[in-house]
Amino acid sequence: MARRVASSASEDEAEGSGSQSQSQQANGYANGRANRNGVKVKAEKVKAEKVKKEKISRKARVETDEEDEEAEEASDHDQLNGVNDIEEEDEGEDGEGSPKGRKRARMDEDGEARPVKDDRQPRARVQTLPRGEDGFVPGSIVRIQLRNFVTYDWVEFRPGPYLNMILGPNGTGKSSIACAICLGLNWPPSILGRASELNSFVKLGAEDGHIEIELKGPARKPNLVIRRNLTAKSKGSSFTLNKSSATGTEIKAKMAELNVQVGNLCSFLPQDKVSEFAQMSSQQLLKETQRAAGDENLSAWHQTLIESGKELKGLQDLLAGERDKLKTMQERNNDLEREVERFHQRREIEQRIEDIELLIPIQEMKESKVLYYETKAKQRGLHEVVTALKDKNAPAHALLETYGKKHAQLTKAREESKKKTAATFKRMTTKWAESDRLDKEVEEVSDELDKQKDSEKRRQARMKTFERNIAQMQHTLDNPPELDDQVAINEELKKVTAERNVINTRREDLQARLRDHIDDSAKQNAQLDACNDALRKLADVGERKLENLKRWDKDTYDAVMWLRQAENREKFKAPIIEPPCLCLSVTDKRFTNAIEACFTANQLKMFVAQNQEDYDTLNRFLNDSEGQVLRKGARVNTWFRQKGSIAGPPMIPEEMNQLGFQGYAIQYVDCPEGLVWFLQRDLNLHRTAIGLDGNKVPVGQAMEAVSRFGPNNEGGSANFVAGSTLNKVQRSRYGKKAPQNMTRDVRPARNLAESAIDANEKKKIDDRIKEAKVALSVIEQETAKLEEAMKESNEETADIKKRYDTVNERKKALATAQAKLKSLQHKIDGEQKKLKEARNEPSTEARSAELRQEILKRTKQRLKITKQYTELMRSLIRDQAENTRIALEYVQVGANKAALDALCKEKDEEFQKALAEFNEAHAIFMEAKAASKKAIDISKEAIANASEEQRERYKAMEAAGTASDRKAEQLKEDLDTEKNNLEMNRGANPGVIAQYEKRKQEIEALNATVIGRENKIEKIERAIKNARDNWEPALEKLVASIGKKFSAAFDRIGCAGEIRISRQEDFDKWAIDILVKFRETERLQLLTAQRQSGGERSLTTILYLMSLTEQARSPFSLVDEINQGMDMRAERAVHNSMVDVTCTSDSAQYFLITPKLLPDLKYHERMKVLCVNNGEWLPEEKHIGNMMGMVEACAQRRNRSANAA
């Protein structure tokens, strides 16, 4: 089995500190300079003296650095985060310290930044933490131990504090050390560009393994021993920190504290990521360089500029939109001012009409009162005349009245006499009937005497019943049931009624809001209908296209119409794309001719399927004779190809602009997504460049550009349009591979010329549809909330009704109980009365005696009645004689009265005339009185119904004396005039006025918003200026320093190199451009992944990383096989430069992994060479066979042999 051993070249491990296992062994190997003749071993004390000198040279800086160490550690986290806050002018102009050195600006209630006192002191910049006495910088790697990791069974070795060269043949496990460093310090596998899962790094056949890395700890603190345990069965892992369990977050925190940057390609470049460094964008290179070197605040400043720049651009875009909106709103309100003026004029007319309508009833009331007093005076005068005439005729009328009274008295006496006679007859009849009644009563009393025996028993029973009823009712009255408090019930009923009123009010409000939402929904639906109509109008172009297709190719037209039927579309899994002449449009009409020139007639009529099954189905229905639905013999064009890889665009945008092209054809078409693959696969529209001005397109250069082969030998042919000429370029894949060109004229477009749809108009309509749908969605959501609230209100209403009915039933029950108790006393009184009557009833014997007395009494009464009846007969004879006398006197008085009445009528004619005039005047008076009262009521009602503003205007007219200067008729005429004026002044829609007022308020609010945004933009611009004043000089200084070393390194190898800052308006697009020249005939060119060769890119990469070394802040860096592809001259120059840069006294730890080395390379005593050995005969046990010991033994034998000779 192959054996692999990592060996170390430091003398301090000569005693066997390296370990070996079944397949690997770490041994010490070092001595000054290696050569073919032998190795000279240096003594321990020589190195000790050099270490002592280095201590003395570093002492001053170490002491200074240790004093600030704790403060630096506490602020490391803040320094990494950058700043996002806007600071005050006086705080941002000094430019000292970290942008996070100041406290975060707090926001006030308006969202503005308010200053916060900064009591932090500026710190001196420290690139790395102070170096320890053993020469290691805190965070550098002191020891690595691996078990069952990739190719290693077990290995442990100790790198040096400066340059560490890891050597060994391919496949021995050099790159596995880089993997171990990355994974062991909790960085993801994606950084390595190898396996993506952790369990893939466990050695095959092993169940688990581990990575143990010992890092140099901060001053006066122990080293950090980090172990990551892996398992082959799980993708997870576990950590220990100094033998205690730890989380990945804790490990990351420690790495941040020590500024370890394994994730930065400028600090840690694995083998599989070397090519990615050259492919890194210039913007990414700038960010990674800032993280790796220079001022530690560069990344934070840059991030602040990026975020503030984005915020500034967003605010500026918002401000521009708001300014446009403000201008539009102002212009709209200016257009409405005339409407508003007419509205106010109409409002003034309406006010005058209101005033006149108020004055008319008041004036009518005043005029009716005047008429009332006039008619009243006339009525009183005529009344006096009538009274005088009446007094003059009074004696005759008095005598006539006397006759009348006498006649009435006689009439009355006559009637009374008749009545008296009739009464006498009636009394006689009554006496006779009474006598009969008494006879019957005597018989009844006799019968009753027979019943008295049973009477007493019944009387006793009734008395007991009365007593029992009285006792029961009295007990109920003395012990009444517990009743509710009448006052409490009334209060509760009042409270429930109030709650019901509140719920009803809220319910009415919800109903009103629901009605408003229904109205808003109707408006939005109307807006949607209008937009849909507009879209249908835009679609008329499609109808024209369809008619053109019908005239051009009837079969293709029939196929389109067949596909558009719903039942036919269901036959396919995915939509069939209609021919490009229908579904494709040119977004920029200038390119219409050029784009149609790229199509053949058949391609314009091509149906595109999106899968093989749909393609077969389409052909079966349209082209196959068995299932064909078109006319017999019809043929239509169909297409489908499986998606795969195709050649990409031959030119980048910058090159296209230089050659006079505006873009590729596919950039100017709008089509369904399913058609794009057809346009790319068959028409190469993504590779067809278009230049509208043919004079600006150098055809020769364009031919070379569009026909170049890609990285995988793809491409070689493409088209381009130069003005009115279509060029078809093909390049031979054999011989000189010269390009060949075929040209034809670009004809005016016929099928796509009218296909362009106004994209902006369509977007506007779509935006309005989206807004309407969003508004409808909001309305539906709010309506749902209102309906839910209405449901809750209905439940509350039902609940309050139930409570109200419950309380009301209690009230009724209380009233019923009270009434029942009240009626008990009356019943008791009745029963007691009956009991008393029963007790007072005489006994049977007494009753019998009474009945006998009653019979005697009735007999005496019958005798008395007989005597009375005889007396009535005598009285009747006397009354009849008196009646005859009264009749004669009645006739005489009647004759006298008739004669006197005729005389009085002759004298009353003048009186009647005066009386008629009085009655007429009295009727007019009463009418005036009623009219006056009505007018007073109407005026009172008008005043009561008038608004407060009308009353104030009326009071003003009263005070000015103008309220009564016009009659009612004149007021009515003025009212008609004002109404006519109102009719002529149609005025504006009140909704327009409300819109004007609302927009006026919106203009004021928007103006305030614009001012606020302008202030905020000004503050952000000041913050950007402050950050840029800090960042840009520091960046320029860093790039200048790196560029100087970079250019010098290229000069040493006879090439040229330069580093520039690419400045852009967007800070996120600022970049570092690396320009290189490897041949005298070339000019400086931008380093890209395509332009330079692999060796040139590797050389540039390592020289750039070396130029970063002196500025680096990371405690260690690593590059893996960076020298692959370099020639011997470049590799030697790079190696020597790397030794010079990484072996200075203030250099950080550096790892260079390489499978080969040239002979006689420069060596430095601070270097450490780690050899990975393999072979069949390595020891199986650990700690056996130290390589350093073997080297020393070999050297001693050679020395002894030389001395003996």
Side-chain angles (χ1 to χ4, degrees):
M1 109 184 202
R3 314 271 178 120
R4 303 171 180 84
V5 178
S7 63
S8 167
S10 101
E11 290 88 4
D12 56 4
E13 297 180 24
E15 297 179 2
S17 58
S19 303
Q20 55 189 356
S21 70
Q22 297 175 358
S23 64
Q24 298 156 329
Q25 182 177 6
N27 296 311
Y29 174 82
N31 7 24
R33 193 163 186 166
N35 53 52
R36 297 180 180 178
N37 298 324
V39 180
K40 183 177 180 180
V41 180
K42 293 186 177 290
E44 284 286 332
K45 57 183 179 181
V46 175
K47 182 168 183 178
E49 290 176 359
K50 290 187 175 291
V51 171
K52 184 176 181 181
K53 290 178 181 179
E54 290 173 1
K55 288 184 191 175
I56 296 172
S57 65
R58 295 195 305 265
K59 183 176 181 181
R61 182 166 68 85
V62 170
E63 291 175 353
T64 304
D65 292 341
E66 287 177 350
E67 292 174 357
D68 294 333
E69 184 178 354
E70 294 179 358
E72 290 168 4
E73 291 175 356
S75 63
D76 278 343
H77 177 71
D78 292 337
Q79 294 169 6
L80 292 173
N81 289 336
V83 238
N84 297 317
D85 299 311
I86 301 171
E87 300 166 342
E88 296 296 321
E89 290 183 61
D90 56 335
E91 292 182 343
E93 292 176 354
D94 55 10
E96 295 181 0
S98 166
K100 272 307 235 185
R102 290 178 290 272
K103 293 184 179 178
R104 183 179 297 275
R106 302 301 180 188
M107 296 295 177
D108 59 18
E109 60 274 8
D110 297 325
E112 301 292 343
R114 51 184 171 86
V116 179
K117 183 178 179 182
D118 181 9
D119 29 289
R120 298 183 62 128
Q121 299 298 324
R123 285 196 307 112
R125 186 176 70 82
V126 180
Q127 287 188 337
T128 58
L129 296 174
R131 193 180 298 274
E133 294 181 359
D134 55 0
F136 285 91
V137 173
S140 57
I141 299 175
V142 176
R143 178 177 59 86
I144 297 177
Q145 181 187 106
L146 307 174
R147 182 177 66 84
N148 292 335
F149 185 79
V150 191
T151 60
Y152 292 97
D153 290 334
W154 188 92
V155 70
E156 184 178 77
F157 61 93
R158 295 178 177 270
Y162 297 98
L163 176 61
N164 293 272
M165 298 185 67
I166 302 177
L167 308 177
N170 288 329
T172 56
K174 302 183 301 301
S175 297
S176 298
I177 295 175
C179 297
I181 294 174
C182 173
L183 300 179
L185 299 181
N186 196 25
W187 261 267
S190 58
I191 291 177
L192 302 170
R194 294 193 170 188
S196 60
E197 304 296 342
L198 284 174
N199 54 1
S200 301
F201 291 89
V202 179
K203 185 176 182 180
L204 291 175
E207 293 184 357
D208 58 12
H210 73 254
I211 305 167
E212 184 173 289
I213 299 177
E214 182 177 351
L215 300 180
K216 176 65 177 177
R220 300 188 300 274
K221 292 184 180 180
N223 291 351
L224 277 70
V225 179
I226 300 170
R227 173 178 286 199
R228 188 170 194 175
N229 298 303
L230 309 176
T231 174
K233 297 181 180 179
S234 172
K235 298 178 181 179
S237 63
S238 61
F239 287 94
T240 62
L241 179 60
N242 292 337
K243 299 184 179 180
S244 298
S245 179
T247 63
T249 303
E250 293 174 345
I251 303 301
K252 286 182 180 179
K254 291 295 182 182
M255 296 305 99
E257 179 182 344
L258 296 171
N259 203 20
V260 175
Q261 297 186 22
V262 173
N264 189 344
L265 289 180
C266 293
S267 300
F268 193 88
L269 192 59
Q271 177 183 354
D272 297 289
K273 291 287 185 174
V274 171
S275 61
E276 289 190 16
F277 186 89
Q279 295 175 357
M280 188 187 301
S281 68
S282 301
Q283 294 82 7
Q284 188 178 358
L285 179 61
L286 171 63
K287 293 177 181 177
E288 297 297 340
T289 301
Q290 289 179 151
R291 287 178 56 207
D295 194 304
E296 56 194 5
N297 298 315
L298 278 171
S299 295
W301 283 327
H302 191 195
Q303 187 63 26
T304 298
L305 289 173
I306 292 172
E307 294 176 355
S308 298
K310 289 181 180 177
E311 183 180 5
L312 177 62
K313 188 176 185 305
L315 287 174
Q316 288 173 339
D317 292 342
L318 284 175
L319 181 61
E322 288 168 347
R323 282 174 173 166
D324 292 341
K325 183 178 179 182
L326 181 62
K327 182 180 178 182
T328 303
M329 293 169 69
Q330 290 173 340
E331 291 174 351
R332 289 182 179 177
N333 260 24
N334 292 337
D335 295 339
L336 293 178
E337 283 183 354
R338 184 177 297 176
E339 294 290 329
V340 174
E341 183 179 356
R342 285 210 311 271
F343 175 80
H344 290 310
Q345 290 176 353
R346 182 179 178 87
R347 185 60 188 142
E348 290 176 0
I349 296 172
E350 289 174 346
Q351 287 182 352
R352 290 198 294 272
I353 290 174
E354 291 175 353
D355 293 342
I356 293 174
E357 288 177 343
L358 178 62
L359 288 174
I360 287 175
I362 295 175
Q363 188 62 30
E364 287 180 343
M365 180 269 292
K366 292 179 179 178
E367 293 177 1
S368 65
K369 286 179 68 177
V370 172
L371 180 62
Y372 166 75
Y373 288 121
E374 290 176 351
T375 56
K376 181 179 180 181
K378 184 177 180 181
Q379 186 256 7
R380 291 291 185 267
L382 290 174
H383 183 267
E384 291 177 357
V385 172
V386 170
T387 303
L389 290 173
K390 185 178 180 181
D391 292 343
K392 182 178 179 181
N393 298 331
H397 282 281
L399 181 59
L400 180 61
E401 185 178 356
T402 301
Y403 281 141
K405 290 181 179 179
K406 183 65 174 175
H407 189 266
Q409 289 175 355
L410 290 173
T411 300
K412 183 178 180 181
R414 187 180 177 190
E415 292 298 325
E416 288 179 353
S417 178
K418 290 179 181 180
K419 289 179 181 180
K420 185 177 181 181
T421 302
T424 301
F425 275 112
K426 186 177 180 180
R427 287 170 63 193
M428 291 173 65
T429 302
T430 301
K431 293 298 182 182
W432 184 267
E434 189 175 356
S435 177
D436 289 340
R437 178 181 61 78
L438 289 173
D439 183 54
K440 291 179 181 180
E441 287 179 357
V442 169
E443 290 179 0
E444 290 174 356
V445 171
S446 298
D447 294 335
E448 188 177 354
L449 281 173
D450 298 334
K451 298 177 182 179
Q452 286 302 311
K453 292 180 181 180
D454 299 328
S455 173
E456 182 65 20
K457 185 182 290 185
R458 289 195 299 272
R459 184 176 72 88
Q460 293 296 331
R462 280 190 291 114
M463 288 171 61
K464 289 181 180 180
T465 301
F466 292 149
E467 288 173 351
R468 184 171 59 253
N469 291 341
I470 290 171
Q472 291 176 352
M473 287 187 287
Q474 187 64 42
H475 181 268
T476 302
L477 193 61
D478 294 338
N479 300 281
E482 294 184 2
L483 301 177
D484 291 334
D485 186 7
Q486 180 73 36
V487 176
I489 290 178
N490 290 337
E491 286 296 325
E492 187 175 358
L493 193 62
K494 182 178 179 182
K495 180 180 178 182
V496 172
T497 303
E499 291 178 3
R500 184 173 61 179
N501 294 336
V502 171
I503 292 172
N504 289 337
T505 302
R506 185 163 63 249
R507 192 162 179 267
E508 291 171 358
D509 179 64
L510 290 173
Q511 291 172 342
R513 289 169 63 188
L514 274 173
R515 287 194 294 271
D516 293 342
H517 280 68
I518 292 171
D519 295 340
D520 293 342
S521 178
K523 292 178 182 177
Q524 296 300 331
N525 283 321
Q527 176 74 6
L528 277 177
D529 294 340
C531 292
N532 289 329
D533 290 339
L535 284 178
R536 282 193 291 274
K537 292 179 181 178
L538 286 178
D540 289 342
V541 175
E543 294 296 326
R544 291 198 299 273
K545 286 185 178 182
L546 199 59
E547 288 298 321
N548 292 337
L549 178 63
K550 184 177 181 181
R551 290 191 294 269
W552 182 20
D553 189 327
K554 184 66 166 56
D555 293 337
T556 303
Y557 169 83
D558 291 339
V560 170
M561 301 308 295
W562 181 83
L563 277 171
R564 289 187 179 183
Q565 297 176 13
E567 63 270 23
N568 294 330
R569 289 198 301 269
E570 295 175 357
K571 294 178 171 63
F572 303 93
K573 291 185 176 180
I576 301 298
I577 308 302
E578 293 182 356
C581 65
L582 295 179
C583 67
L584 182 141
S585 61
V586 183
T587 58
D588 191 335
K589 295 180 180 179
R590 297 178 300 162
F591 297 87
T592 304
N593 295 338
I595 292 173
E596 184 164 325
C598 299
F599 289 80
T600 66
N602 287 334
Q603 288 172 338
L604 283 171
K605 297 184 292 182
M606 188 72 69
F607 290 89
V608 177
Q610 300 190 57
N611 56 69
Q612 184 66 45
E613 184 178 347
D614 286 350
Y615 177 73
D616 296 337
T617 304
L618 183 65
N619 282 321
R620 186 171 70 254
F621 284 106
L622 299 184
N623 291 324
D624 295 348
S625 58
E626 295 181 1
Q628 190 173 25
V629 296
L630 304 179
R631 68 176 180 82
K632 185 176 182 180
R635 286 293 181 269
V636 295
N637 301 317
T638 60
W639 184 91
F640 168 75
R641 299 289 186 278
Q642 290 290 348
K643 289 189 177 181
S645 60
I646 55 175
M651 296 177 288
I652 61 176
E654 292 81 5
E655 187 177 5
M656 292 183 68
N657 292 334
Q658 292 174 2
L659 295 178
F661 293 111
Q662 282 74 43
Y664 291 106
I666 201 164
Q667 297 175 232
Y668 303 102
V669 300
D670 185 11
C671 64
E673 184 67 25
L675 190 64
V676 175
W677 174 238
F678 168 72
L679 300 179
Q680 293 175 336
R681 174 68 172 74
D682 268 30
L683 280 79
N684 279 331
L685 291 192
H686 68 295
R687 293 173 52 81
T688 302
I690 299 177
L692 295 178
D693 190 349
N695 297 326
K696 295 182 179 180
V697 179
V699 176
Q701 296 180 32
M703 289 171 56
E704 290 290 336
V706 302
S707 62
R708 66 165 64 102
F709 290 107
N712 299 320
N713 205 30
E714 74 275 12
S717 64
N719 301 337
F720 69 91
V721 177
S724 60
T725 303
L726 173 64
N727 297 264
K728 294 187 175 182
V729 184
Q730 290 186 341
R731 185 184 293 272
S732 174
R733 296 183 180 272
Y734 307 97
K736 295 183 179 181
K737 300 183 179 180
Q740 298 177 353
N741 186 17
M742 296 177 60
T743 64
R744 65 180 175 87
D745 293 335
V746 175
R747 298 178 180 178
R750 292 187 303 171
N751 298 289
L752 302 181
E754 297 181 356
S755 64
I757 296 176
D758 190 343
N760 291 332
E761 183 63 23
K762 185 174 182 297
K763 185 176 183 302
K764 290 179 182 178
I765 296 173
D766 290 337
D767 290 342
R768 290 201 298 270
I769 289 175
K770 289 179 182 178
E771 291 173 0
K773 288 182 178 180
V774 170
L776 278 173
S777 177
V778 172
I779 291 171
E780 289 173 358
Q781 292 175 2
E782 294 180 354
T783 302
K785 293 179 181 177
L786 290 175
E787 289 175 348
E788 184 64 25
M790 195 68 186
K791 181 179 178 182
E792 295 176 358
S793 178
N794 291 335
E795 293 175 354
E796 291 178 348
T797 302
D799 180 64
I800 203 69
K801 182 178 183 302
K802 183 177 180 181
R803 290 172 54 196
Y804 180 88
D805 292 340
T806 301
V807 176
N808 203 29
E809 288 297 328
R810 288 171 55 199
K811 184 177 181 181
K812 290 180 180 179
L814 177 62
T816 302
Q818 290 175 341
K820 184 176 180 181
L821 290 175
K822 189 174 181 180
S823 65
L824 280 177
Q825 187 61 50
H826 294 291
K827 290 182 179 180
I828 291 173
D829 294 341
E831 292 294 310
Q832 287 178 343
K833 184 178 180 181
K834 291 178 182 179
L835 177 61
K836 184 178 180 181
E837 290 175 353
R839 287 175 177 172
N840 292 333
E841 288 180 1
S843 61
T844 304
E845 294 179 357
R847 181 58 181 164
S848 298
E850 287 179 358
L851 290 175
R852 287 191 290 271
Q853 290 295 325
E854 192 68 27
I855 292 172
L856 179 61
K857 180 180 178 182
R858 298 287 188 276
T859 302
K860 290 179 178 180
Q861 286 177 349
R862 286 189 67 193
L863 180 59
K864 184 178 179 180
I865 287 170
T866 301
K867 291 178 179 180
Q868 290 174 350
Y869 185 84
T870 302
E871 186 63 31
L872 286 173
M873 287 289 293
R874 293 172 180 165
S875 174
L876 180 62
I877 293 170
R878 291 193 296 271
D879 290 340
Q880 189 63 35
E882 180 63 21
N883 190 22
T884 301
R885 185 189 65 76
I886 291 172
L888 292 174
E889 187 177 1
Y890 170 79
V891 172
Q892 183 61 48
V893 172
N896 294 338
K897 178 177 176 294
L900 185 58
D901 184 54
L903 180 63
C904 287
K905 286 181 180 179
E906 292 177 1
K907 294 183 178 183
D908 284 345
E909 288 181 2
E910 184 180 358
F911 170 77
Q912 293 297 331
K913 183 179 179 180
L915 182 61
E917 292 179 358
F918 167 77
N919 290 335
E920 182 179 358
H922 181 70
I924 295 172
F925 164 71
M926 295 303 293
E927 289 178 0
K929 183 177 180 181
S932 177
K933 186 176 183 302
K934 183 177 180 182
I936 290 172
D937 293 339
I938 292 173
S939 64
K940 287 181 178 179
E941 183 179 0
I943 293 172
N945 293 335
S947 64
E948 190 63 30
E949 184 181 355
Q950 282 182 275
R951 295 179 187 177
E952 292 297 329
R953 291 200 298 270
Y954 177 74
K955 290 178 182 178
M957 287 188 287
E958 283 283 349
T962 60
S964 302
D965 58 354
R966 289 176 289 179
K967 298 294 184 182
E969 290 299 324
Q970 185 179 355
L971 287 172
K972 291 179 180 179
E973 292 175 0
D974 293 344
L975 178 62
D976 292 337
T977 301
E978 294 296 343
K979 286 184 176 180
N980 291 333
N981 293 335
L982 183 64
E983 185 68 23
M984 289 187 292
N985 186 346
R986 292 294 181 182
N989 186 351
V992 174
I993 307 305
Q995 183 182 4
Y996 173 84
E997 297 296 335
K998 180 181 179 182
R999 188 179 291 125
K1000 185 176 179 182
Q1001 296 176 359
E1002 291 175 351
I1003 288 172
E1004 294 174 356
L1006 186 57
N1007 192 42
T1009 301
V1010 168
I1011 293 172
R1013 292 204 191 281
E1014 289 173 345
N1015 294 335
K1016 192 170 184 180
I1017 287 173
E1018 183 180 354
K1019 290 182 179 181
I1020 294 176
E1021 287 174 343
R1022 289 200 303 269
I1024 290 175
K1025 180 181 180 302
N1026 293 338
R1028 184 170 183 174
D1029 289 345
N1030 289 329
W1031 175 68
E1032 190 170 4
L1035 179 63
E1036 290 173 346
K1037 180 179 178 182
L1038 172 63
V1039 173
S1041 175
I1042 297 172
K1044 182 178 179 181
K1045 294 178 177 60
F1046 185 76
S1047 299
F1050 264 83
D1051 290 342
R1052 287 194 293 271
I1053 62 175
C1055 301
E1058 185 178 330
I1059 298 176
R1060 300 175 185 170
I1061 298 176
S1062 175
R1063 291 172 169 82
Q1064 303 291 336
E1065 182 180 356
D1066 188 351
F1067 289 103
D1068 196 23
K1069 296 180 180 178
W1070 277 51
I1072 289 180
D1073 291 339
I1074 300 178
L1075 294 93
V1076 293
K1077 183 177 77 169
F1078 292 94
R1079 284 164 282 278
E1080 288 294 336
T1081 58
E1082 294 179 345
R1083 55 187 176 87
L1084 285 172
Q1085 293 182 328
L1086 187 67
L1087 178 68
T1088 66
Q1090 296 80 26
R1091 185 175 287 122
Q1092 287 78 20
S1093 66
E1096 291 170 345
R1097 293 198 299 272
S1098 298
L1099 177 61
T1100 304
T1101 299
I1102 189 61
L1103 291 180
Y1104 185 82
L1105 295 179
M1106 286 168 52
S1107 302
L1108 279 177
T1109 301
E1110 293 184 13
Q1111 300 287 334
R1113 297 193 304 274
S1114 178
F1116 66 85
S1117 302
L1118 181 145
V1119 291
D1120 186 0
E1121 298 193 13
I1122 194 66
N1123 54 344
Q1124 294 300 309
M1126 294 185 190
D1127 57 26
M1128 295 177 61
R1129 180 179 63 87
E1131 185 176 356
R1132 186 177 299 280
V1134 168
H1135 173 83
N1136 294 339
S1137 297
M1138 179 175 287
V1139 171
D1140 292 338
V1141 171
T1142 59
C1143 290
T1144 60
S1145 60
D1146 58 350
S1147 296
Q1149 191 178 46
Y1150 209 94
F1151 291 89
L1152 174 63
I1153 300 176
T1154 178
K1156 64 185 180 67
L1157 278 181
L1158 300 174
D1160 299 324
L1161 292 175
K1162 184 176 182 179
Y1163 183 78
H1164 194 280
E1165 60 185 4
R1166 290 195 178 97
M1167 290 172 56
K1168 193 165 191 178
V1169 180
L1170 302 171
C1171 298
V1172 180
N1173 301 306
N1174 59 10
E1176 293 291 337
W1177 307 105
L1178 294 178
E1180 296 292 335
E1181 294 80 7
K1182 302 176 185 178
H1183 309 297
I1184 295 179
N1186 185 283
M1187 178 174 283
M1188 190 62 196
M1190 290 188 289
V1191 171
E1192 290 179 351
C1194 180
Q1196 289 173 4
R1197 283 196 298 272
R1198 288 184 179 181
N1199 289 337
R1200 286 195 298 268
S1201 298
N1203 293 333

